[in-house]
C-alpha cells in the first residue's frame, strides 16, 4: 500500500510516546518534529505539512492532553482527527443529475489511468446504484485509445459509444443524445490526455464542458507521481473547475503524499481510489478510514464491505450452520478459498484488521495454481472422503495424488491446511484471535503463508 513507509514511521513515533507515560511539552515537540519529517518524506506538500503540524501541536500541548491519564493515546487521537480533516473528513458523493443522463467527464494527464479506471467506476456505480452506464471514446489522439476502451467495456459488459476520429466535442454531444434514446442514465466521457499540461488540451476540454455541461468533472491522477499529482490537480482545477478526484495506483509502493495534499491544496475532495489492476479493484475514498489505516488502526468497515461484496449470504449461512455442527467439509474449504481470493491480497486484508501486522503477509496472495491444485485434489476424492477426511490413509492418498496429477506431499499439505482452518474457526466462534492467523513463533500463518 502507498502509505506503508509513512505508517511504519508514525507508529514508531507513537511507540516512543507510549513508552514515556506522562508527557511534557518538549516530548510533544520532539514527536511532532519526527511526524513532520515522516510526512515530508512521504512527499506531502511542505505548506500542508507546516499547517498540519501547527494544528496538531496546538491541540496536543493543551492541558487536557498533558494532564490526562493516557496522554499518548490523546495525541494519537488528535493526529487521527487532523489527518481525517486534511483528507476531507467525509466521503464526497458523485453528483447525480435529477434529470438523466448524468454526464461524468473524466480528465487528466496521459498515463494516469483514465480509460481503465473510468470503466471500473462505471461498473462500480452500475452495481451500487443499478444505473445503466455508457462509456464514450473522446480520446481520438492516443493510438489504440478507442480499442482499449472497447476492450475493457466488453470485459465489464458496458456499451461503448465511439465515432472514430470525429471531433471530440461532436462525439460528446452525440453520445449524450444516444444515451437519452437508449436509456443509459450514466455517461462517462473518456477525454484525451497529454504527457504535460498545454493550452490546446485545456481548450478542447473547455469546449467539451461547454457543449454538454457535465454534472461531474472527475480528475484522474496517478498517486505514484507524488507532488506532480498535486500540481496537475491545481492546473486542471484552475482551468476547468473540477468537482472531485480519483486517485489511481494507490496500491503501489509510492509515498502516497498526493492523497494527503490534494484536498488541502485544491479544496476538491478525493472521491474514489484505484487499488489494483483488476477491473473490480476500486474503492470509495473514505478519509476517516484512510487515516485509520495510515495510523495502523485497521479499517474494519471496508473489510466488512469487501466481505459482503464477495460472500454469498445464503452460502454464508449454510457454512455458519456447518461450523456450529462441526460439519465443515473440504468442498466448503475450497469455496472459502475462492471467496477469500476475490477479496484481494492477504496483506491488504490483514492491513484492515486492527493490531495485525500487514507486513508479515507482504506479497502473500492466493495464487491460481494453488487453487487449481487444491480443486484437483478435492475433486479426486470421493464424496465420503471429502466429508470425512480422517479416513484418508496412505493408499487413499496415493490414489488421490495420482488422480489429481499431484504428489502425496501435496495431499498432506492440503489436509494440514484444512485442519488449521477448522481450528481457527473453532477458536473464532469462542471469540479468540487464534495464533494460526497471527502466525506463532516459528510457524506460518493463515493457509501456510
Amino acid at each position: 500500500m502507498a502509505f506503508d513507509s509513512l505508517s511504519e514511521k508514525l507508529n514508531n513515533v507513537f511507540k516512543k510516546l507510549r513508552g514515556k507515560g506522562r508527557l511534557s511539552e518538549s516530548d510533544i515537540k520532539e514527536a511532532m518534529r519526527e511526524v513532520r519529517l515522516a510526512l515530508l518524506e512521504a512527499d506531502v506538500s511542505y505548506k500542508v505539512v507546516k499547517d498540519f503540524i501547527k494544528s496538531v501541536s496546538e491541540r496536543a500541548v493543551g492541558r487536557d492532553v498533558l494532564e490526562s491519564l493516557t496522554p499518548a493515546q490523546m495525541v494519537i487521537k488528535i493526529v487521527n482527527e487532523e489527518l481525517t480533516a486534511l483528507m476531507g473528513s467525509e466521503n464526497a458523493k458523485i453528483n447525480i443529475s435529477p434529470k438523466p443522463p448524468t454526464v461524468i467527464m473524466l480528465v487528466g494527464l496521459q498515463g494516469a489511468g483514465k480509460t481503465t479506471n473510468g470503466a471500473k467506476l462505471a461498473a462500480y456505480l452500475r452495481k451500487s446504484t443499478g444505473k445503466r452506464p455508457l462509456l464514450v471514446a473522446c480520446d481520438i489522439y492516443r493510438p489504440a485509445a478507442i480499442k482499449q476502451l472497447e476492450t475493457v467495456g466488453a470485459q465489464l459488459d458496458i456499451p461503448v459509444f465511439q465515432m472514430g476520429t470525429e471531433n471530440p466535442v461532436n462525439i460528446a454531444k452525440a453520445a449524450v443524445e444516444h444515451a437519452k434514446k437508449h436509456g443509459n442514465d450514466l455517461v462517462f466521457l473518456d477525454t484525451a490526455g497529454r504527457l504535460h499540461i498545454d493550452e490546446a488540451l485545456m481548450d478542447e476540454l473547455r469546449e467539451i464542458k461547454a457543449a454538454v455541461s457535465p454534472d461531474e468533472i472527475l480528475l484522474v491522477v496517478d498517486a505514484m507521481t507524488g507532488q506532480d499529482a498535486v500540481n496537475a490537480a491545481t492546473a486542471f482545477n484552475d482551468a476547468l473547475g473540477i468537482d472531485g478526484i480519483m486517485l489511481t495506483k494507490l496500491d503501489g509502493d509510492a509515498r502516497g503524499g498526493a492523497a494527503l495534499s490534494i484536498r488541502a491544496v485544491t479544496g476538491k475532495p478525493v472521491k474514489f481510489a484505484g487499488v489494483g489492476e483488476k477491473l473490480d479493484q476500486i474503492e470509495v475514498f473514505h478519509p476517516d478510514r484512510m487515516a485509520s489505516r495510515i495510523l495502523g488502526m485497521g479499517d474494519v468497515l471496508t473489510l466488512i464491505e469487501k466481505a459482503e461484496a464477495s460472500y454469498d449470504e445464503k452460502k454464508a449461512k449454510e457454512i455458519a450452520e456447518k461450523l456450529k455442527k462441526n460439519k465443515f467439509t473440504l468442498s466448503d474449504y475450497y469455496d472459502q478459498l475462492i471467496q477469500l481470493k476475490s477479496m484481494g491480497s492477504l496483506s491488504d486484508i490483514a492491513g484492515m484488521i486492527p493490531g495485525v501486522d500487514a507486513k508479515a503477509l507482504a506479497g502473500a496472495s492466493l495464487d491460481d495454481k494453488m487453487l487449481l491444485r487444491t480443486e484437483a485434489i478435492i475433486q479426486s476424492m470421493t464424496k465420503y472422503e471429502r466429508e470425512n477426511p480422517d479416513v484418508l490413509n496412505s493408499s487413499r492418498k496415493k490414489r488421490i495424488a495420482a488422480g489429481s496429477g499431484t504428489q502425496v506431499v501435496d495431499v498432506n499439505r492440503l489436509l494440514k491446511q484444512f485442519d488449521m482452518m477448522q481450528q481457527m474457526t473453532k477458536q473464532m466462534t469462542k471469540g479468540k484471535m487464534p495464533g494460526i492467523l497471527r502466525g506463532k513463533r516459528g510457524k506460518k500463518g493463515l493457509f501456510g503463508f
Side-chain angles (χ1 to χ4, degrees):
M1 198 70 183
F3 296 107
D4 284 349
S5 177
L6 174 61
S7 182
E8 186 178 356
K9 287 172 183 172
L10 291 179
N11 275 295
N12 287 337
V13 175
F14 298 146
K15 198 179 290 182
K16 288 180 189 175
L17 288 179
R18 289 192 195 98
K20 289 180 182 285
R22 307 295 287 183
L23 296 180
S24 66
E25 195 168 323
S26 61
D27 291 330
I28 300 289
K29 284 182 178 177
E30 177 60 29
M32 288 305 105
R33 193 177 298 117
E34 292 183 41
V35 170
R36 176 176 171 273
L37 285 172
L39 291 170
L40 289 172
E41 286 176 14
D43 215 8
V44 181
S45 160
Y46 174 76
K47 184 181 183 305
V48 171
V49 173
K50 184 181 175 184
D51 293 343
F52 177 82
I53 294 300
K54 182 184 176 185
S55 181
V56 172
S57 297
E58 285 175 354
R59 294 181 61 189
V61 296
R63 188 173 167 185
D64 291 345
V65 173
L66 296 180
E67 295 183 9
S68 71
L69 291 174
T70 56
Q73 293 294 346
M74 292 289 283
V75 172
I76 295 167
K77 180 175 180 286
I78 290 167
V79 172
N80 184 26
E81 288 171 356
E82 292 295 329
L83 263 183
T84 302
L86 186 65
M87 291 185 283
S89 296
E90 295 179 356
N91 164 250
K93 310 290 185 190
I94 285 281
N95 298 314
I96 300 294
S97 171
K99 185 181 177 183
T102 295
V103 180
I104 299 170
M105 185 175 166
L106 301 166
V107 300
L109 294 178
Q110 197 168 300
K114 284 191 303 299
T115 302
T116 304
N117 285 278
K120 283 184 187 181
L121 179 58
Y124 173 84
L125 291 175
R126 177 180 62 186
K127 184 177 180 181
S128 60
T129 66
K131 294 187 180 295
R132 298 180 61 201
L134 175 70
L135 300 174
V136 184
C138 291
D139 184 356
I140 63 170
Y141 310 105
R142 182 169 61 90
I146 297 172
K147 183 65 180 173
Q148 183 189 359
L149 189 64
E150 288 179 329
T151 300
V152 291
Q155 289 173 337
L156 293 166
D157 195 25
I158 298 174
V160 174
F161 181 89
Q162 62 102 346
M163 291 168 59
T165 55
E166 178 69 46
N167 184 293
V169 178
N170 295 336
I171 295 171
K173 288 195 288 189
V176 173
E177 291 305 313
H178 176 90
K180 288 176 181 175
K181 290 176 184 175
H182 292 82
N184 298 105
D185 43 14
L186 278 178
V187 176
F188 288 83
L189 304 179
D190 181 29
T191 67
R194 300 282 191 281
L195 293 175
H196 58 277
I197 294 163
D198 63 21
E199 202 54 39
L201 167 67
M202 292 305 179
D203 284 344
E204 180 177 290
L205 295 177
R206 288 189 196 101
E207 287 175 22
I208 294 174
K209 178 184 177 181
V212 297
S213 301
D215 302 284
E216 177 94 16
I217 300 179
L218 200 60
L219 175 66
V220 182
V221 291
D222 181 345
M224 295 183 77
T225 59
Q227 200 53 45
D228 283 343
V230 181
N231 297 335
T234 303
F236 274 95
N237 186 45
D238 291 343
L240 291 169
I242 62 173
D243 298 295
I245 294 149
M246 182 194 295
L247 281 175
T248 64
K249 305 174 190 175
L250 206 56
D251 58 314
D253 57 0
R255 289 174 266 181
L260 295 176
S261 306
I262 221 157
R263 168 68 189 236
V265 173
T266 66
K268 303 298 179 180
V270 178
K271 296 190 175 184
F272 294 93
V275 292
E277 293 181 3
K278 293 180 181 176
L279 293 176
D280 61 346
Q281 289 183 310
I282 185 170
E283 291 180 1
V284 172
F285 188 85
H286 293 278
D288 54 341
R289 300 184 194 182
M290 185 58 70
S292 291
R293 277 199 231 183
I294 293 170
L295 298 179
M297 299 175 182
D299 183 1
V300 174
L301 288 175
T302 298
L303 181 61
I304 291 168
E305 286 171 5
K306 276 180 174 282
E308 285 177 341
S310 301
Y311 277 65
D312 180 279
E313 190 175 350
K314 185 179 177 184
K315 181 160 270 192
K317 286 180 180 177
E318 289 174 3
I319 294 290
E321 286 301 313
K322 287 184 176 183
L323 287 171
K324 283 180 186 175
K325 297 173 183 176
N326 204 22
K327 290 184 178 180
F328 188 72
T329 70
L330 279 160
S331 297
D332 299 324
Y333 172 69
Y334 177 71
D335 287 341
Q336 295 302 294
L337 286 182
I338 292 291
Q339 292 183 13
L340 184 62
K341 182 176 184 286
S342 70
M343 288 176 65
S345 72
L346 294 181
S347 54
D348 285 348
I349 294 169
M352 295 178 195
I353 303 172
V356 175
D357 181 10
K359 280 195 145 186
L361 288 171
S365 61
L366 296 172
D367 66 84
D368 293 332
K369 287 183 180 177
M370 185 273 281
L371 287 170
L372 286 171
R373 193 163 55 243
T374 299
E375 183 179 24
I377 291 171
I378 291 173
Q379 288 186 343
S380 295
M381 298 176 185
T382 64
K383 184 180 178 182
Y384 179 76
E385 288 169 340
R386 286 197 291 269
E387 294 179 356
N388 301 278
D390 292 340
V391 305
L392 294 174
N393 54 27
S394 57
S395 62
R396 286 178 186 256
K397 289 176 184 177
K398 285 179 184 176
R399 189 202 81 242
I400 292 164
S404 59
T406 59
Q407 305 293 320
V408 171
V409 66
D410 296 316
V411 179
N412 285 330
R413 187 183 297 116
L414 170 61
L415 293 173
K416 184 178 179 182
Q417 289 171 357
F418 174 67
D419 184 54
M420 289 169 70
M421 177 77 165
Q422 284 187 308
Q423 289 177 42
M424 182 183 77
T425 49
K426 281 177 185 175
Q427 286 181 276
M428 281 184 168
T429 54
K430 295 175 184 176
K432 298 177 182 177
M433 176 68 83
I436 194 171
L437 182 60
R438 296 192 308 267
K440 293 177 181 175
R441 185 177 296 175
K443 294 185 180 180
K444 295 180 180 179
L446 182 60
F447 302 125
F449 289 103

